[in-house]
Amino acid sequence: MLTHFDGFTGNIIAALLGTVTPFCSCSSVPIFIGFTRAGLPVGMTFSFLISSPMVDVASMLMLMSFFGPEFAIFYTVVGVILAVVGGKVLSIMKVERYLKKYDGAIRDFYAESEYFNQRQRLNYALNDTKIIVRKVFPYVLLGVLIGAVIHNWIPQEFILSILGDNNPFAVILATIIGIPIYADIFGTLPIAEALYLVGVPAGTILALMMAITALSLPSLIMLSQVLQRKLLFLFIGIVSIGIIFVGYIFNFVF
């Protein structure tokens, strides 16, 4: 489906596709790997990668129940915009050269796979799943371990003292704090509600939620297997700047 679109339209379609796929960041990365291997434009693949773990229909409904429709709709809209803009910026920067290359045999195999029958596709899917799991599973465990230690050993009172009290740098700090924590959008909701009830500004909470879902440490570790270091840091920088900007705007609006 995605091969029928290009340019800005392609980024929008890829971001919207991400909103209807209920994946966490670590589930989105293998799909991203498949997209890059299949030769989809890099900007489209990044739009999907940003949007998929951050926004979906079920989370929007849950956000409505927690914070009301305005918060939920705003979160969804800015999540899609961030995905479209982030993917487009990376496309303009022509970062394809920073993707880790695949050898000729892999490229030839993907060209041939277009003509596979259903049985061949199922066999390929099983084998590819085994390869991906074997390569990334140790890194996922490491990332979850680090995130769990940070998540469980930093007292909530300490977080509140940093993110509350009208701290002008709260949005930036929330983004930095969110990156090491591993959770999907549903895992962030109880944290967000607790922070909201004690008076943490809405934009600061938004930045924390987006950082946790879009830039979790396990997904970044997995991405390091397919992105060269320069592109990985560029991806982190662009998404982080977008999240911080959205957080400050949200605090101003609400």
Side-chain angles (χ1 to χ4, degrees), residues 14-33:
L16 291 176
L17 180 63
T19 65
V20 296
T21 50
F23 300 134
C24 67
S25 55
C26 285
S27 301
S28 302
V29 172
I31 299 174
F32 171 82
I33 294 172

Side-chain angles (χ1 to χ4, degrees), residues 226-242:
V226 292
L227 306 181
Q228 293 183 28
R229 186 175 300 176
K230 187 171 183 177
L231 178 52
L232 181 64
F233 285 116
L234 188 61
F235 168 74
I236 296 171
I238 289 174
V239 176
S240 297
I241 291 171

Side-chain angles (χ1 to χ4, degrees), residues 9 42 72 118 245:
T9 303
V42 67
Q118 192 65 24
F245 178 76

